[in-house]
Structure formats: C-alpha cells, structure tokens
Amino acid sequence: MRLSEVLLRPKVTEKVNGQMEKQNRYTFVVDKRSNKLEIKAAVEEFYNVKVAQVNTIVVPAKSKSRFTKAGFISGRKPSFKKAVVTLVEGETIDLFAF
C-alpha cells in the first residue's frame, strides 16, 4: 500500500484536542488495510516528525434510525479504523495550518 493511501484525514474532537495539548497524541482516520508500521511511516513522511508509538482501533459500524414525515428510516454508519499516534517529546504537528 502506498503511503499516500494510508492517512485519510485527521480526527479533531474535544477529547483529541486535549490529548494533543497534554500528551502529544494525534488521531487520524486511516485505511482499514493499513498496519502500524505503514501508519508510522506515513506520519513521519508527511509531517516530518518522529513517532514514538502507534495505537490502532477499529470502530464498529452502528445502526441509525429516525422518524420523519415519510415514516421510519433506518440505515448504518460505516465502520472505520483510527490510529492514535504518540510523538517523541518536543515534536508537534500543526493540523490547522493551511
């Protein structure tokens, strides 16, 4: 797998923002077929930082339903894989720079 296909997008939530500030950990949504070594290489190449640790989580799919004027609608949210990347102390990634 090419490194450009591994990282899909950064995941930015309140919890992740707290981890970025206090623990130097960043969360990315990654391709489901990628492994920890590929994720580490992709982050180091694209952001020019040193990665200390990579943890991966496969978030399961969820059923969603709602009531509308047209009636009951049900569907599924897809599953995805996310990676929590811990950087070496002193390294940072600026996710909000353009």
Side-chain angles (χ1 to χ4, degrees):
M1 176 177 282
R2 294 192 326 232
L3 293 181
S4 61
E5 298 172 344
V6 174
L7 298 177
L8 300 180
R9 64 185 172 274
K11 189 147 180 82
V12 180
T13 61
E14 287 183 37
K15 182 177 180 179
V16 170
N17 280 337
Q19 288 180 343
M20 288 187 329
E21 294 168 2
K22 294 180 180 135
Q23 299 172 343
N24 209 20
R25 301 179 88 179
Y26 296 84
T27 304
F28 297 93
V29 177
V30 296
D31 190 275
K32 285 182 92 169
R33 299 166 292 170
S34 61
N35 59 33
K36 291 182 181 185
L37 298 175
E38 292 171 336
I39 294 167
K40 180 178 179 177
V43 170
E44 287 180 344
E45 181 180 318
F46 292 128
Y47 294 105
N48 296 320
V49 293
K50 283 292 199 185
V51 175
Q53 184 179 9
V54 177
N55 298 91
T56 57
I57 304 109
V58 177
V59 179
K62 292 182 179 180
S63 296
K64 293 286 185 178
S65 58
R66 65 179 180 216
F67 291 99
T68 63
K69 288 182 181 179
F72 185 75
I73 298 174
S74 62
R76 290 178 61 86
K77 289 184 73 172
S79 66
F80 63 94
K81 186 174 190 175
K82 66 181 179 178
V84 180
V85 177
T86 305
L87 301 182
V88 175
E89 198 166 322
E91 299 274 359
T92 58
I93 296 175
D94 189 8
L95 294 177
F96 305 108
F98 290 101

